[in-house]
Amino acid sequence: MTKRSMKSWMKWRRLVSEQARSGQSVKAFCREHGLCRPYFFVWKKRLEEATPTKFLEVQVAGHGPSTPGDSSVEIRLRNGRSLMVRPGFDTEHVRALLAVVEAVE
């Protein structure tokens, strides 16, 4: 992959992620950022197809005392480490963090 195409992938990954977090419709987001809507959808589809889907076993465990309205999720990894995420987290950031944490033995 060329440096130029890598920059495009990073740019569109950021924009698609930003749109998802914004709560705006694609139409409003594209208008606000001066983007071509059909081009946005092409990149969104391209990024989704390039992202491998992995399934993990999920176990629902009882909670200790929690704060009312707290909808945090704790992700426990095989190596004993865990990660807490709250609503509105950036999925790309969590993916990158998990890659680093899982690489550390």
Side-chain angles (χ1 to χ4, degrees):
M1 188 178 289
T2 67
K3 208 175 200 181
R4 186 177 193 177
S5 65
M6 183 64 124
K7 285 177 99 173
S8 291
W9 279 86
M10 289 171 50
K11 169 192 165 185
W12 283 101
R13 184 174 288 126
R14 179 184 53 79
L15 287 167
V16 168
S17 181
E18 190 178 322
Q19 184 276 325
R21 285 191 319 270
S22 75
Q24 290 180 305
S25 68
V26 171
K27 182 178 180 178
F29 184 84
C30 289
R31 184 176 40 235
E32 183 177 305
H33 289 83
L35 303 171
C36 173
R37 201 170 21 145
Y39 203 58
F40 182 92
F41 283 115
V42 166
W43 271 99
K44 184 175 181 178
K45 183 176 181 179
R46 190 179 290 172
L47 290 165
E48 287 170 355
E49 290 173 349
T51 304
T53 303
K54 294 182 182 179
F55 293 95
L56 301 173
E57 179 183 354
V58 175
Q59 296 177 351
V60 179
H63 297 291
S66 64
T67 308
D70 182 18
S71 54
S72 299
V73 175
E74 181 179 9
I75 303 168
R76 292 190 184 203
L77 306 172
R78 285 187 207 115
N79 60 12
R81 292 184 174 105
S82 64
L83 176 66
M84 294 287 286
V85 293
R86 290 197 162 80
F89 66 90
D90 179 353
T91 56
E92 292 302 319
H93 185 232
V94 172
R95 278 191 188 111
L97 180 59
L98 286 172
V100 170
V101 171
E102 289 178 340
V104 177
E105 297 282 328

